Amino acid sequence: MTSAAKGGLGAMMEAGEAARYTKYWESYAPKKVKPGTLRLDWLRQSGRTGRMESSRVIYDNYGRQIYRVDFSEHMRPLNHSIPHLHQYQYGPMSSFGKESVFNFFWKMKRIKNVENITSIYSTWKPSDIAFVKSLEWSIQNVVMVFYCQLRESVDGWPNTSEDFFEVSIIFENISSFKLDFSSAGLQLISGFDILDISDNGLEKINFQIEDYENDSINFCCEEVEINEVSNPVKISIG
């Protein structure tokens, strides 16, 4: 059962009814409405983070969604600003718009030296991390070396016939550290993310590091620093 159904009214419902209740609260604003509706203010609960997220949605004269302004970064501060804009453009006889996302970053990102990556790979995001190559543990810090591949640049990510680039990241003042690797060698990470949780007000805890697909990595830390970026290489899996 997802977060919307775990508490409140959802907890008092039958499974089927709770699922419908959850689906309603987790859904985005409708892509198409009755013509004449030009604006909706929408509230949803994220199934991934459990947080409430608000949006303002604009429709054209045909009732098609053309803009959605999200007032949340979905706990992915490298990918989204607050607010950020989704735009949908429609061709002739088209009911499904082509989506573009626009961010409005006006402050420095919290990850130290992230420009070491973005100056070379401008669209890089944490979910482009594909494999863990190595891990070095000290008293308070962890240094992890990853193989990255831009998801948007290849078919069938991660594509081992294409190049990967190596990134070394320092995680400072770690806590609640969890690793769950099933075998030796390179570790595939299907859903790596770095979440900004500094608003939680916890001392020396600003980031949560996670594998949101398989939960093979999960820990918190005070600082994240991009240490080194290496040239693209071919890697061998086996």
Side-chain angles (χ1 to χ4, degrees), residues 73 75-82 102-119 121-126 194-196 198 206-207 222-226:
E73 33 85 306
M75 291 179 68
R76 288 180 170 146
L78 282 181
N79 299 349
H80 298 295
S81 62
I82 303 176
F102 300 92
N103 290 299
F104 311 97
F105 291 112
W106 57 82
K107 62 180 182 179
M108 293 294 292
K109 314 252 188 334
R110 291 182 54 86
I111 293 181
K112 295 179 180 178
N113 299 329
V114 69
E115 64 275 6
N116 288 352
I117 301 179
T118 56
S119 62
Y121 306 98
S122 60
T123 61
W124 180 87
K125 51 190 178 295
I194 299 174
L195 308 179
D196 183 349
S198 56
N206 293 322
F207 296 96
E222 182 178 9
E223 300 289 350
V224 177
E225 179 177 357
I226 307 302

Side-chain angles (χ1 to χ4, degrees), residues 40-57:
L40 282 179
D41 289 328
W42 193 261
L43 187 67
R44 66 181 289 270
Q45 183 179 34
S46 169
R48 185 177 65 87
T49 69
R51 294 186 174 187
M52 301 304 295
E53 300 178 349
S54 62
S55 304
R56 175 160 291 182
V57 186

